């Protein structure tokens, strides 16, 4: 499974492509960052990020796009720009009919470091080691994008099992309701 | 000047096209709402809204797109979706090289009702009257989109004058700094 991880941002948008193999095998395909000048108009900046993401989708053909889920506890202005970029990235994926998954920062940290409260430096260190890179990806946004992709690959089998279990539970509940209804009708008729 | 006003939202995205004439003359060209089902995937919903916005841009050929600026004081989940939609709408405009303007809810309310704290009912009532509509546009998101477009048309001359004044002030400041620097150099040489 090839995943494009995206750490959304207007000033720096981290991009990382990772291939998943057997078990926990992962390999870095590409890593980088899309930058837009803060003095540009917001809509031009969104267009610029969108164009870079489309280039990456064309060049690396991922099967899934994993995006960091944005929270609004931080700086309001920054968060709005970040959310807008995440929308534009999800749109680019949807246009190519690619599935999009959102992971929270703590899910990503837990996946690569074992702790949901690891700091940026620890995440960079772990992802460098996990992917066997010669040097640490820079800036931190690029390392985060790779961590997102790895998080998605490692969580995917569990997510699939969970979805299957939920679908099975929903079907059992439907069958149960149908049996109750049939029993009630049989009682009324008798 | 023809403006497409957009009240961004995932469940309901208000759209309103207004033509501005002489002075405060305004005329409604089209009004509506793009809806997406809450049970759909986020990325499919963003794609659906984006496609409707592109249809409106093609059909009505506005010169400007005015979008409601999103604030994060409300429900976090809703705000993120709203910000993502606003990003997708701004992107559609940027792709067509159309300028995008953001107006806050209080700017819109003040423009159409004279008060930044008018409620939804008052905004709907005022916009119905301003545009001389036979009946009030429904839902409120559609009325808000028209109000945004009218707000942009009425604020545009003032915004242009303000931008001109700011550019002039920046140039005066640059000239002043250059004169100070030249004077300091002349003093050092003497």
């Amino acid at each position: 499974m090839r995943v494009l991880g995206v750490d959304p941002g207007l000033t720096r948008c981290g991009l990382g492509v990772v291939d998943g193999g057997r078990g926990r095998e992962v390999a870095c395909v590409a890593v980088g960052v899309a930058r837009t000048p803060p003095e540009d108009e917001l809509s031009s900046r969104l267009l610029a990020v969108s164009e870079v993401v489309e280039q990456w989708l064309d060049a690396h053909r991922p099967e899934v796009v994993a995006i960091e889920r944005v929270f609004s506890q931080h700086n309001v202005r920054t968060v709005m720009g970040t959310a807008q970029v995440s929308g534009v990235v999800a749109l680019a994926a949807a246009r190519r009919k690619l599935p999009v998954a959102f992971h929270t920062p703590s899910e990503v940290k837990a996946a690569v470091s074992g702790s949901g409260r690891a700091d940026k430096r620890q995440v960079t260190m772990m992802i460098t080691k996990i992917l066997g890179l010669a040097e640490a990806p820079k800036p931190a946004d690029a390392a985060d994008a790779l961590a997102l992709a790895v998080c998605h690959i490692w969580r995917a089998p569990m997510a699939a099992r969970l979805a299957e279990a939920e679908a099975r539970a929903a079907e059992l509940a439907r069958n149960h309701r149908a049996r109750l209804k049939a029993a009630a009708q049989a009682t009324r008729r008798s």
Side-chain angles (χ1 to χ4, degrees), chain A residues 17-117:
Chain A
V17 180
V18 176
D19 275 342
R22 289 202 183 171
R24 286 169 72 86
E25 273 179 21
V26 280
C28 177
V29 177
V31 62
V33 70
R35 294 172 195 270
T36 72
E39 61 274 19
D40 279 11
E41 290 278 342
L42 174 60
S43 57
S44 317
R45 299 178 77 185
L46 291 170
L47 179 60
V49 175
S50 167
E51 284 173 349
V52 174
V53 169
E54 303 222 353
Q55 284 160 12
W56 278 62
L57 292 174
D58 289 339
H60 303 294
R61 310 227 157 252
E63 292 144 74
V64 182
V65 177
I67 308 176
E68 189 169 295
R69 191 181 289 282
V70 185
F71 283 102
S72 72
Q73 52 254 50
H74 322 287
N75 180 308
V76 175
R77 280 203 159 233
T78 313
V79 164
M80 289 299 126
T82 306
Q84 287 170 324
V85 170
S86 81
V88 158
V89 173
L91 175 71
R95 280 216 169 107
R96 283 164 170 79
K97 303 197 189 336
L98 295 177
V100 178
F102 288 89
H103 298 287
T104 65
S106 50
E107 283 168 351
V108 176
K109 287 170 187 175
V112 301
S113 80
S115 159
R117 283 179 293 176

Side-chain angles (χ1 to χ4, degrees), chain A residues 1-3 18-21 23-26 63-66 99-103 107 111 147-165:
Chain A
M1 175 168 54
R2 177 167 288 191
V3 179
V18 176
D19 275 342
R24 286 169 72 86
E25 273 179 21
V26 280
E63 292 144 74
V64 182
V65 177
V100 178
F102 288 89
H103 298 287
E107 283 168 351
L148 254 155
V150 169
C151 166
H152 183 79
I153 291 166
W154 285 353
R155 284 174 66 97
M158 218 195 335
R161 264 163 58 196
L162 184 67
E164 204 181 300

Side-chain angles (χ1 to χ4, degrees), chain A residues 166-187:
Chain A
E166 280 174 348
R168 203 170 140 65
E171 202 192 326
L172 286 172
R174 261 197 307 279
N175 290 347
H176 183 65
R177 276 197 301 274
R179 272 200 303 273
L180 280 180
K181 204 172 158 189
Q185 283 171 344
T187 312

